[in-house]
Amino acid sequence: MEQEDFSSLPKKKLKKLISETQDVLNQLKRELKLRKEGKQHDEIDHLEEYFEDASHNLSNLKKFIQNVISEVKSK
Amino acid sequence: MMTDMTSSGGNSASADNFAYRIFQWLFVFFLIYLLITAVGMIGSGFKGATKGHAAELFSFATNPFMGLIVGVMATAMIQSSSTVTSIIVGMVAGGLPVEMAVPMIMGANIGTTITNTIVSLGHVRHKKEFRRAFAAATVHDFFNLMAVAIFLPIEIIFHPLQKIATYLSEYLVGGENLSVKGLNFIKPITKPVITEFQTFAEMISVQSSHILLVFFGIAIIFLSIIFIGKLLKKLMVGRAKKIMHASIGRGPISGITSGAIVTVLVQSSSTTTSLMVPLAGAGVFKLKQIYPFTLGANIGTTITALLAATAISGPTAILALQIALVHLLYNTSAVAFIYGIKTLRKIPIRGALWLARLAAEKKLYALFYLLGIFFVVPGVLIFLHEIFA
């Protein structure tokens, strides 16, 4: 991003600019937070699937041990 | 015409659905009844088998660290802290001293964390995802290990949890003459089934009937908790969703509360904590958000021991309630103390992140950790105790 020269700006204008930038920044942060929370709400809507996944312990363990074995063999 | 047919079909389907839900709820209540009866069976069988010498039978657990290890290993093997704590409640009612049972209860808290760690292993194929999932699972381990490291020595020396639990249980059930007025309605409804099982056990072997009764009790608790969990997951998923939706973006206290409520609804801390692992793995929830929810699960799971304590009536009811209250007090104080102090709060997060980074680089570390913390270290300690004690 190109650096702008603010040295010629009067103090009042500079303050106004800071305040406006702050507002935009707050809006952007709020938007980002909303998007993140929206994604979290979407995932929670699939809670049934996560409940189901949580009960597949043995297959997880099997998958993991296979992965460990192949990792050890490859070295 | 078409609309009418559809609507009448829809009504009939929803009526069927309603009836099915009612049936499922009735089955849940029946399973809770079985759970309570089974705790009574363990109490009665344990009392008969030890003939008032339960403390001698568990003399190996006079060393609190052994009690802790028993709790860790039993829970890690069964993968259900609710089952282990319910069995402990029954054994306390049958004569196991409360001070011996306290470290076992603390051990159950550590042992139960194996389930979500195993769930996190399912993400092994994607490095970044695995790192996040493993950290979300092991933050629970670090917290529970830390809680034991802080609270067990204090409990051994000053018994604060036991003292408060004694005071509360005396206040709740009237303790001066150890008569339990409020909970006496349980005995008439559980006694006939316990007597039937007692008779059945005597038919198999008169000499070992009490031990058989304990085994029947353990098996029934194990099965009823599995089925209660399965049914409640289906019945409560809608409510759990609402609670979780409501807690998003509301900070850690809301996270702890929703974790506790969801755990009470599904009657399993393993389910609640495992639920969060894939959400963390996908990167949708940050470790900082998962952590309080996991702590809430620790508090919510104490409801099962309290429920189990209602199974016991008579003079030992107060002791059963004491150990159930110790479980509740321990978990709530650990959350308040460790999460309440900023410096302590960060330790489990740092530990989990460090371990997850290591495990993501070399999966073998994750395997060593899993076997080491839940089986090898406890096993070696038991072996050393057997040799030197």
Side-chain angles (χ1 to χ4, degrees):
Chain A
M1 226 165 101
E2 206 173 300
Q3 284 273 335
E4 283 187 54
D5 183 18
F6 298 112
S7 55
S8 58
L9 281 178
K11 204 173 169 185
K12 205 174 169 186
K13 185 122 194 223
L14 203 59
K15 277 186 179 172
K16 199 180 165 209
L17 211 61
I18 290 172
S19 159
E20 281 169 2
T21 314
Q22 194 69 52
D23 282 347
V24 173
L25 193 66
N26 287 341
Q27 279 176 31
L28 289 172
K29 278 183 182 171
R30 212 172 305 135
E31 178 60 28
L32 192 67
K33 192 172 175 254
L34 278 175
R35 283 189 198 183
K36 276 184 188 169
E37 287 179 3
K39 217 172 167 192
Q40 291 176 347
H41 283 296
D42 288 347
E43 289 299 321
I44 285 171
D45 282 334
H46 298 102
L47 207 63
E48 292 91 343
E49 293 159 32
Y50 292 118
F51 268 135
E52 194 56 38
D53 285 348
S55 52
H56 292 152
N57 281 352
L58 285 177
S59 60
N60 284 337
L61 199 59
K62 200 176 146 193
K63 209 193 289 179
F64 176 73
I65 290 171
Q66 282 169 346
N67 199 286
V68 170
I69 292 168
S70 63
E71 189 186 83
V72 171
K73 275 182 183 172
S74 70
K75 282 176 184 171
Chain B
M1 186 68 186
M2 274 293 281
T3 320
D4 284 345
M5 276 173 71
T6 320
S7 112
S8 97
N11 282 343
S12 142
S14 89
D16 281 353
N17 197 22
F18 180 71
Y20 185 58
R21 280 178 79 86
I22 294 281
F23 171 75
Q24 283 180 315
W25 272 114
L26 287 174
F27 197 50
V28 168
F29 288 124
F30 171 69
L31 288 168
I32 292 172
Y33 165 73
L34 274 186
L35 170 75
I36 290 172
T37 308
V39 174
M41 269 184 218
I42 292 177
S44 164
F46 197 65
K47 199 175 183 178
T50 57
K51 294 182 177 68
H53 297 96
E56 287 159 34
L57 183 74
F58 275 84
S59 58
F60 68 91
T62 43
N63 178 342
F65 296 103
M66 289 304 292
L68 181 79
I69 289 164
V70 167
V72 173
M73 289 187 85
T75 315
M77 280 190 278
I78 298 176
Q79 285 195 38
S80 165
S81 63
S82 304
T83 305
V84 174
T85 51
S86 301
I87 293 169
I88 294 170
V89 167
M91 292 203 308
V92 166
L96 177 73
V98 175
E99 56 269 31
M100 277 190 191
V102 173
M104 292 183 193
I105 287 276
M106 291 182 175
N109 251 27
I110 297 176
T112 195
T113 61
I114 194 173
T115 312
N116 65 349
T117 309
I118 295 175
V119 170
S120 75
L121 301 181
H123 298 263
V124 70
R125 286 183 188 150
H126 309 280
K127 193 174 171 182
K128 215 170 170 184
E129 192 181 308
F130 176 63
R131 199 190 66 221
R132 287 192 294 243
F134 198 69
T138 50
V139 74
H140 194 204
D141 307 16
F142 277 98
F143 178 86
N144 283 337
L145 286 167
M146 227 175 118
V148 166
I150 296 170
F151 282 82
L152 184 59
I154 296 173
E155 188 59 24
I156 292 169
I157 304 166
F158 304 110
H159 311 291
L161 296 172
Q162 204 185 326
K163 280 178 188 165
I164 301 170
T166 306
Y167 171 77
L168 284 176
S169 52
E170 281 174 3
Y171 177 76
L172 287 170
V173 294
E176 274 184 12
N177 56 359
L178 293 180
S179 68
V180 183
K181 293 166 194 114
L183 300 173
N184 270 347
F185 69 94
I186 296 287
K187 198 173 179 179
I189 58 169
T190 56
K191 185 84 179 158
V193 179
I194 298 175
T195 312
E196 283 303 316
F197 271 95
Q198 175 83 54
T199 316
F200 180 58
E202 280 167 5
M203 278 162 61
I204 299 170
S205 163
V206 179
Q207 279 179 328
S208 322
S209 64
H210 295 297
I211 295 167
L212 281 172
L213 195 61
V214 172
F215 279 116
F216 288 151
I218 291 173
I220 293 171
I221 288 177
F222 183 69
L223 292 174
S224 50
I225 283 179
I226 287 178
F227 287 112
I228 288 172
K230 278 184 193 289
L231 280 169
L232 286 181
K233 264 191 246 177
K234 282 182 194 157
L235 290 163
M236 287 301 189
V237 70
R239 193 144 296 182
K241 273 184 192 177
K242 275 185 194 163
I243 291 163
M244 289 173 77
H245 277 307
S247 77
I248 288 177
R250 288 199 173 175
I253 303 289
S254 174
I256 294 172
T257 315
S258 62
I261 299 173
V262 171
T263 307
V264 170
L265 294 181
V266 298
Q267 286 282 309
S268 164
S269 62
S270 310
T271 304
T272 318
T273 54
S274 301
L275 199 64
M276 300 313 283
V277 169
L279 292 169
V284 181
F285 282 84
K286 292 257 161 60
L287 184 59
K288 231 170 95 181
Q289 292 170 297
I290 306 274
Y291 182 32
F293 190 81
T294 304
L295 304 188
N298 268 10
I299 298 173
T301 196
T302 60
I303 192 83
T304 317
L306 285 167
L307 194 67
T310 63
I312 313 297
S313 53
T316 53
I318 202 159
L319 302 172
L321 187 59
Q322 252 178 48
I323 191 66
L325 285 170
V326 164
H327 194 203
L328 173 69
L329 289 168
Y330 167 59
N331 279 332
T332 39
S333 352
V335 171
F337 186 71
I338 300 175
Y339 199 79
I341 298 171
K342 205 176 171 184
T343 351
L344 294 179
R345 186 194 309 160
K346 287 177 181 169
I347 298 173
I349 292 189
R350 285 186 186 148
L353 288 173
W354 166 77
L355 187 66
R357 264 195 300 272
L358 273 183
E361 286 309 318
K362 265 196 173 182
K363 311 287 181 314
L364 206 56
Y365 287 136
L367 189 66
F368 285 155
Y369 167 77
L370 193 73
L371 294 176
I373 207 99
F374 296 104
F375 300 105
V376 179
V377 174
V380 169
L381 288 174
I382 288 179
F383 181 70
L384 291 175
H385 181 266
E386 285 304 303
I387 290 175
F388 296 109

